[in-house]
Amino acid sequence: GSYYQRLLGPCQRQKQTKQQDKNREKRIKRNEQSLQAIWDYVKRPNIRLIGVPECDGENEFKLENTLQDIIQENFANLAKQDTIQPQAIQRTPQRYSSRRPTPRHIIVRFTKIETKEKILRAAREKDQVTHKGKPIRLTADLSTETLQARREWGPIFNILNQQNFQPRISYPANLSFTFEGKIKSFRNKQVLRDFITTRPALQELLKEALYTERNNQYDPF
Amino acid sequence: GSYYQRLLGPCQRQKQTKQQDKNREKRIKRNEQSLQAIWDYVKRPNIRLIGVPECDGENEFKLENTLQDIIQENFANLAKQDTIQPQAIQRTPQRYSSRRPTPRHIIVRFTKIETKEKILRAAREKDQVTHKGKPIRLTADLSTETLQARREWGPIFNILNQQNFQPRISYPANLSFTFEGKIKSFRNKQVLRDFITTRPALQELLKEALYTERNNQYDPF
Amino acid sequence: GSYYQRLLGPCQRQKQTKQQDKNREKRIKRNEQSLQAIWDYVKRPNIRLIGVPECDGENEFKLENTLQDIIQENFANLAKQDTIQPQAIQRTPQRYSSRRPTPRHIIVRFTKIETKEKILRAAREKDQVTHKGKPIRLTADLSTETLQARREWGPIFNILNQQNFQPRISYPANLSFTFEGKIKSFRNKQVLRDFITTRPALQELLKEALYTERNNQYDPF
């Protein structure tokens, strides 16, 4: 390209630079999406235990005992059917907030993705999962990008929930809800914005939540 | 750098911007290549079954039965030697083309990479792999980027094949063929273009296929 | 954004371009870091055997025997406790330096991360690991980015070591050493540079090593 470039006028050169910028922007975006997808892919056999207190001299062996206790306490049936042996188990590297003294999450990796799914399904059917009687949380181990994208739906999800639209978040970070008897699914806010332009009632309801960006969101434009 | 930047003339500043652009371009490219490589890396234990009809109420359990049927029907010897148990088995998330009603691919993940390799080797030795008598295809589960890069060689591969150059595609997307008694291998079209500049016969043969880019290829320059 | 862009003067437009450039730079950097992290993540169950001679007709079966020989020769106790069976074992794709005829590394992937950790711990406790009496090396299988980042600390590590600061490299590529009775940890050279500005003795010691970049380092600014 450099030979032809020298023959171009300043206006054409500027146009070309803009086109290159746009292409680069697109490729960076695609890399970001691919990274989100591969993190989710490699974390598929994992679950995350939130709220289990840390204790002194904790090691992989003790953490595995804790896991077996939790399974016995909450999913005794599952424990009878299978030997649920993790491939790896560890605390997350650092505390999420160094100010609040919450215990670090425990990441459990299973050999089979099916084991994770069975446990998550059983957890969803229970009102509460506990460890030594105290409530803990048990979730899929998603990429930080996917978790961030899900959090972005928060205010909209709450409004739709209050108004009985039966909102749901599905993988990776799609919002779906029931509208005029049908389930509608939205990949991101822009798609939802486009959808409501011709639905004034919905627009009125979501306007504020849909057009204010959270401060922590990264948006270059 | 910003302090020194203020001291530079417009010409030097332009030169600096160009250098920064070039560096950025290189880093984006490197990220793309690393993403391709890691997708291929994590998909190494997988095979892809193409053309197996979808049926109602399909679940992981039924898909595993389908896999065992296919192994019995085509690789009875393998089944005797090993218990071929997948770590995970599922349909691809969405149809590749929503217009054509082709069944979604089945992705099977094995615990050992060796299991995948044994099955692929056995498949290559057979004329045809079948499911209930009907032909299906069985391939490695490569990244979309690698598949795209392999498809790019298509027209050149066909010409070389017709002319008995015995072309082959090897991992990830290298084209090799026999030339003057030796096997030559090419990482991409540019390397092949450089090679043929001093081989007029080969140049004549491949000129057209090598210099026309496909429309769907992404090329910023 | 494009509608408002047309209303801006050239100065504001230039400012906006700069901001976009900065954002893009940040996102490329974040993608690079995420790629480094995911490569390290997927390679966690692996060890790397360095210096084991290659032999003719080497295949996965023979490599597994070599591994079992090495374990017997060096970690007989470990072998008694567990059956250490790899999930995959292979040579690295190409030689690192095509000029020196060193054997390619062997990458062993275990099913459990724990197995890798046990072996590495046992190796650290021995003075020397051998294969048929000759010394070999046994390391974690880190991403090329992490290895590069660790190598960058080389000259500084050596100086600190000579001066009894007890330097250590921890995951992924943090340098820590003992200073005034406390262990200090540094994520990269810039953080260390900031730290020593108010410690003249340390500054004097590290100045040269800390401010000369190696030629092979990529640094766009």
Side-chain angles (χ1 to χ4, degrees), chain B residues 98-121:
Chain B
S98 50
R99 274 160 293 171
R100 280 187 300 158
T102 50
R104 291 176 299 160
H105 299 180
I106 298 171
I107 310 288
V108 188
R109 185 179 190 81
F110 296 103
T111 310
K112 290 194 133 205
I113 292 167
E114 215 188 335
T115 313
K116 173 203 89 170
E117 282 170 354
K118 271 186 196 165
I119 292 175
L120 284 183
R121 224 176 295 133

Side-chain angles (χ1 to χ4, degrees), chain A residues 25 28 32 39 46 87 218, chain C residues 23-24 27 34 41 111:
Chain A
E25 184 64 32
I28 296 173
E32 287 170 345
W39 274 113
N46 299 3
Q87 196 194 344
Y218 176 71
Chain C
N23 276 330
R24 224 164 269 157
R27 291 164 71 199
S34 185
Y41 188 85
T111 310

Side-chain angles (χ1 to χ4, degrees), chain A residues 55-68:
Chain A
C55 58
D56 291 338
E58 211 175 53
N59 57 21
E60 189 145 346
F61 182 73
K62 284 188 186 172
L63 283 173
E64 199 167 325
N65 284 342
T66 305
L67 173 71
Q68 298 301 349

